[in-house]
Amino acid sequence: MRHPIGIIATGSYLPARSVSNTEVGAQTGVTDEWITRKTMIHARRHAAPHEATSDLAAAAARAALTQACITPDQVSFIVVATSTPDHPQPATASIVQHLLGASNAAAFDVNSVCSGFVFALSVANGLLQDQPDRYALVIGADIYSRILDRSDRKTAILFGDGAGAVLLGRVAATQGVLGTRLTTRGDQHSLISVPAGGSRTPASSATVANGQHYFTMNGRGVRDFVENSLSQEVQALLEDTSVAPQDVQHFVPHQANGTMLSDVWPTLGLHGATCHLTLEHYGNTGAASVPITLDLVHRRRLLAENDLVLLCGFGGGMSVGSSLLAWAPTRYAARAVVRTSVAA
């Protein structure tokens, strides 16, 4: 028996420091115009030296809990999606639990890189199916500024830092998560990586000297993967849920690259939907990009009850995660936000 579980509150946190294209371009040898034309990104946020991924995650979670009027001790599960954890161990989620004071919550991490939030959402939804009267925090948080080669124009211009969170709980029978589709193409795992620091290539003075702890990406290969995979994954999920593409009102994708998304968008067949983009101001925030965008769209009151909302993450692994929701009534919290860029 399916229990209706859905998003009952959202939250996000973005570091204070905004980094312009001019600053990034000076380090990578490209111009503001070049970055904007290639990515549609104008700025991104970088975490302060004292901020770790757990700090960003906890701040986003607090915003969601405040919106829902739920206290931390009422949360049963905390799932943090990140590929930039505070430490190799313990799980960043355990630190988030401590920061929140959510002592009754089981806490663990999910790493599916930029698709991680949707993967984590699926896991939390599954946990609540067995315990539908409980609450789960699902958080996407990443600090990519710590693992970037600032001279690499393929990566340094794209990524920013941030965290987004949702609170899951019981909703009305026809609302909440209607379906989820998760896929991984492990044969293409080498397209995105941090080569050293794990059991395959342990950290050493040589790996540091060789720059093997930086994030690397085959941009052309990633673009080909997205162009070849996204449409079929979206179509398969809609078929699984018996929803016509034209009936979807909102599409919230991973904020990878605005130019790439603009090229892929017409192939998805979502002719009645708005594609929501926030990358103009925040860049690619990894696993945080979908929940940050969802929170900003929600707080602008753009989501009406029963609207069909399609979330889609894609990234390293290579993986795609898509989730379709019928939006449930949620609380709003008045807060000034940077204007969300919405592409029709």
Side-chain angles (χ1 to χ4, degrees):
M1 175 183 175
R2 173 189 174 270
H3 294 286
I5 302 298
I7 293 172
I8 61 174
T10 65
S12 62
Y13 175 80
L14 291 140
R17 182 171 178 248
S18 181
V19 180
S20 69
N21 283 350
T22 301
E23 180 177 344
V24 171
Q27 298 171 313
T28 58
V30 295
T31 65
D32 177 2
E33 184 278 331
W34 188 90
I35 296 171
T36 302
R37 175 164 46 84
K38 292 286 187 179
T39 69
M40 296 187 184
I41 296 169
H42 291 276
R44 69 286 296 146
R45 301 291 181 90
H46 282 180
H50 68 275
E51 290 180 314
T53 297
S54 62
D55 297 312
L56 275 58
R62 289 189 194 99
L65 291 172
T66 298
Q67 188 181 87
C69 298
I70 296 296
T71 57
D73 62 297
Q74 293 177 271
V75 177
S76 295
F77 304 103
I78 299 173
V79 188
V80 174
T82 185
S83 54
T84 59
D86 284 21
H87 318 283
Q89 56 179 283
T92 297
S94 66
I95 304 171
V96 174
Q97 185 227 44
H98 172 66
L99 292 173
L100 294 175
S103 56
N104 295 321
F108 58 94
D109 292 355
V110 169
N111 181 0
S112 195
V113 196
C114 295
S115 56
F117 174 78
V118 179
F119 276 64
L121 185 73
S122 176
V123 171
N125 179 46
L127 291 170
L128 292 184
Q129 291 299 318
D130 293 330
Q131 303 173 79
D133 293 320
R134 298 192 176 193
Y135 299 107
L137 274 169
V138 182
I139 308 165
D142 273 311
I143 297 183
Y144 268 85
S145 64
R146 304 275 164 81
I147 61 171
L148 293 176
D149 177 352
R150 299 298 176 88
S151 66
D152 179 11
R153 70 180 188 180
K154 295 192 301 294
T155 58
I157 66 171
L158 289 171
F159 289 90
D161 307 334
V166 300
L167 185 69
L168 294 186
R170 185 191 283 270
V171 294
T174 59
Q175 296 174 338
V177 179
L178 303 181
T180 300
R181 181 176 172 85
L182 310 175
T183 61
T184 301
R185 286 289 308 274
D187 59 313
Q188 298 189 50
H189 72 274
S190 61
L191 292 177
I192 292 175
S193 71
V194 176
S199 61
R200 176 74 61 188
T201 308
S204 67
S205 57
T207 62
V208 173
N210 293 332
Q212 292 175 272
H213 297 267
Y214 289 133
F215 176 89
T216 67
M217 181 176 68
N218 179 333
R220 181 69 260 178
V222 170
R223 188 182 184 98
D224 289 345
F225 171 82
V226 174
E227 290 177 347
N228 294 332
S229 302
L230 207 60
S231 177
Q232 65 184 38
E233 292 301 320
V234 166
Q235 291 172 14
L237 174 61
L238 295 178
E239 289 175 5
D240 290 344
T241 53
S242 300
V243 170
Q246 61 269 23
D247 291 337
V248 176
Q249 281 98 1
H250 303 278
F251 181 58
V252 182
H254 168 49
Q255 308 288 300
N257 177 309
T259 302
M260 180 179 70
L261 287 170
S262 293
D263 291 342
V264 173
W265 170 243
T267 71
L268 303 183
L270 304 176
H271 304 303
T274 298
C275 177
H276 296 284
L277 301 180
T278 56
L279 53 82
E280 176 184 356
H281 301 288
Y282 306 130
N284 179 340
T285 52
S289 76
V290 169
I292 286 173
T293 303
L294 184 65
D295 179 50
L296 297 183
V297 170
H298 173 223
R299 289 175 188 265
R300 291 186 67 207
R301 304 196 177 202
L302 298 178
L303 306 176
E305 184 175 353
N306 296 315
D307 276 0
L308 292 180
V309 181
L310 179 59
L311 311 179
C312 189
F314 47 88
M318 295 290 292
S319 297
V320 178
S322 302
S323 186
L324 182 68
L325 302 93
W327 196 251
T330 52
R331 295 183 176 92
Y332 297 96
R335 188 182 72 168
V337 297
V338 175
R339 180 181 59 82
T340 303
S341 173
V342 181

